Amino acid sequence: VAAAEVASRRRGQGVEGRTPAFSRFQATYLVGYYLAMLGDWLQGPYVYALYKDQYGYTGGQVAQLFVCGFLSSMVFGTFVGSLADKLGRKRMCLLYSVLYIISCGTKMVNSFWVLMLGRFTGGISTSLLFSTFESWMVCEHLKRGFTPDQLTETFSRATFGNGVVAIIAGLVANAAAEEFGHDDKPNYVAPFVVAMVPLALLGVVVLKFWPENYGDAGAEGCSAITRAWMVVRSDPKIAALGAAQSLFEGSMYIWVLLWTPALMQTTSEGESSSDYLGLIFAVFMICVMLGSSIFAISAAALRQHFVYIPLGVGLAATAANGAAAVMLDDKLAVFIWFLVFEGCVGVFYPAYGRIKSEIIAEEVRSAVMTMFRVPLNGVVVAVLLQMDNLSIETMLKLCALGHLLSLACYGLFLYFGPWARRGRK
């Protein structure tokens, strides 16, 4: 309700210079983006349950499958993502659709190595999802001469709508698992089959309505990676921003693995908090939506000073995870702090998206953005390999530390950026 209230205020303010051409462009992008995220969200809640509960793999085998996905995203996803600047972002968005459909299809086969193949293709898909789509949109936005404020609105609406899509996906996935289950047991394969539908529709939308755009079309795959690395290495503000993003998102992905066990509690009446995971997830997504709307309003008010918003996000995220670790036995307090953190996530994505659009050169945008995900995936893999040796409290403290380091890196980004130079003058 709060998210809807703030969103209505944002829409009431309007965007200066909005034209029918911009509205059509924004709608074309958001339809494709929402379909891509719907295909991803439909799978998320049931990956672990499918491997562990339905197919009966051990905890060690499940960890191997997850590690394969993150390693695939880190190594092969980086190479494939960098090709987007040369071969075209539209083609890579289509590749995302194909690879993720293959990944969903493997979930229907109870074979460890077939599932491993699905994790491999899924890891590449994830890397494409969080780099190529944004690169395509920013390139088209700038090419058509739309304003920075309109770009902020598109990022904010993408994050806000993503929250709505996640809630819908959770309800649909749960209904599919129950509908196609048997002997009072849900069928965890069903959500993955359903996910193929929006992924296929995404392919149609991209193929029919999205024009192709490129970065440096003359670069080879390996040279694109080398050039992106040189950009990051030679520009301290881009390196600092990449480190800040990787640390924030890496800590966030670790948190995704923690929130369910951190909230688990059985009452004296035998009622478990696991009975309300769907409702808890929905409330989390509403907080993400609220965060995206807060960013839109704050960015409009602060104008060029919007770059300071992530400082507050970093502080709040550090405090939220740190406090949750300290108050772990008080499940209500932990839940409230987790809501604060999800609100931070809702601000993080549109804020960083707007900033990256202004400082990363168009010709290497996809390659640089996929390179940002290398340390991110490395952090998650390292923690996954040690999960059996770490308590939930310790991992939450590691998340808080990751967000604190992210905040420090973002401070360096501001120091090296043009905003600090203007202030020093």
Side-chain angles (χ1 to χ4, degrees):
V1 174
E5 174 70 16
V6 176
S8 65
R9 287 172 56 194
R10 181 193 65 192
R11 287 193 295 268
Q13 291 173 347
V15 176
E16 214 175 298
R18 169 175 282 277
T19 62
F22 172 70
S23 297
R24 286 193 300 270
F25 162 72
Q26 186 183 71
T28 300
Y29 169 70
L30 290 178
V31 167
Y33 177 75
Y34 292 156
L35 286 171
M37 294 307 303
L38 178 59
D40 185 58
W41 280 120
L42 282 166
Q43 304 171 56
Y46 294 99
V47 177
Y48 184 88
L50 176 70
Y51 295 156
K52 193 79 166 58
D53 299 336
Q54 187 158 325
Y55 286 160
Y57 291 105
T58 65
Q61 289 173 313
V62 173
Q64 290 175 30
L65 289 167
F66 276 101
V67 166
C68 175
F70 284 106
L71 283 176
S72 170
S73 182
M74 181 172 68
V75 180
F76 296 98
T78 302
F79 177 74
V80 174
S82 67
L83 290 177
D85 293 322
K86 172 182 173 56
L87 300 180
R89 283 80 179 254
K90 174 180 177 177
R91 287 190 179 91
M92 292 298 109
C93 291
L94 289 171
L95 182 62
Y96 163 82
S97 174
V98 172
L99 289 178
Y100 227 177
I101 288 174
I102 292 173
S103 179
C104 290
T106 62
K107 302 302 189 294
M108 293 185 279
V109 182
N110 185 3
S111 165
F112 182 78
W113 292 108
V114 172
L115 294 172
M116 189 71 80
L117 172 64
R119 294 299 300 175
F120 176 79
T121 60
I124 297 174
S125 300
T126 301
S127 184
L128 292 173
L129 175 61
F130 291 104
S131 60
T132 308
F133 284 79
E134 181 179 318
S135 295
W136 179 90
M137 184 272 288
V138 172
C139 179
E140 285 297 313
H141 183 99
L142 298 176
K143 186 192 301 183
R144 301 180 190 206
F146 300 133
T147 67
D149 286 342
Q150 290 171 330
L151 185 62
T152 295
E153 187 204 2
T154 299
F155 276 122
S156 183
R157 288 196 175 188
T159 304
F160 186 91
N162 186 33
V164 177
V165 166
I167 295 172
I168 294 172
L171 296 173
V172 172
N174 183 73
E178 295 294 335
E179 178 67 24
F180 294 100
H182 53 84
D183 297 331
D184 295 327
K185 293 182 178 179
N187 182 352
Y188 295 128
V189 176
F192 296 92
V193 177
V194 174
M196 294 182 186
V197 177
L199 292 171
L201 290 174
L202 165 67
V204 174
V205 169
V206 171
L207 188 63
K208 186 172 179 60
F209 298 107
W210 288 24
E212 187 61 275
N213 63 49
Y214 302 86
D216 184 358
E220 298 297 330
C222 291
S223 65
I225 296 176
T226 303
R227 185 173 178 184
W229 167 244
M230 292 303 296
V231 168
V232 174
R233 185 179 176 182
S234 63
D235 192 332
K237 69 177 180 296
I238 292 181
L241 182 66
Q245 176 182 319
S246 295
L247 286 164
F248 190 100
E249 287 193 288
S251 301
M252 180 192 71
Y253 281 121
I254 295 168
W255 178 88
V256 168
L257 302 173
L258 296 178
W259 74 263
T260 299
L263 292 175
M264 282 296 185
Q265 185 178 38
T266 303
T267 67
S268 56
E269 291 80 16
E271 191 176 50
S272 173
S273 57
S274 62
D275 298 333
Y276 300 97
L277 291 181
L279 178 61
I280 291 171
F281 177 76
V283 175
F284 283 168
M285 290 303 102
I286 289 174
C287 289
V288 171
M289 294 157 61
L290 178 59
S292 74
S293 298
I294 289 174
F295 169 74
I297 294 172
S298 302
L302 294 173
R303 292 293 184 179
Q304 70 268 26
H305 299 297
F306 81 95
V307 292
Y308 296 103
I309 292 175
L311 292 175
V313 172
L315 282 172
T318 301
N321 281 298
V326 172
M327 305 178 186
L328 194 56
D329 292 333
D330 186 344
K331 299 304 180 185
L332 178 59
V334 171
F335 176 62
I336 292 172
W337 283 114
F338 282 178
L339 295 181
V340 173
F341 175 66
E342 285 287 55
C344 293
V345 172
V347 178
F348 168 83
Y349 277 109
Y352 271 67
R354 167 74 184 274
I355 292 165
K356 286 183 292 184
S357 74
E358 295 190 2
I359 71 162
I360 300 177
E362 180 58 42
E363 59 269 19
V364 292
R365 187 184 305 280
S366 294
V368 169
M369 288 174 61
T370 53
M371 188 160 287
F372 283 177
R373 298 188 64 80
V374 173
L376 181 163
N377 287 296
V379 168
V380 177
V381 167
V383 174
L384 274 174
L385 293 174
Q386 295 297 320
M387 276 194 72
D388 291 340
N389 304 320
L390 299 173
S391 67
I392 294 174
E393 179 182 351
T394 299
M395 287 193 285
L396 281 172
K397 289 178 179 178
L398 287 175
C399 289
L401 177 61
H403 291 305
L404 183 61
L405 292 174
S406 171
L407 176 62
C409 290
Y410 192 80
L412 286 175
F413 163 72
L414 291 177
Y415 176 79
F416 290 120
W419 307 277
R421 288 197 292 272
R422 283 199 297 266
R424 289 195 289 269
K425 287 178 183 178

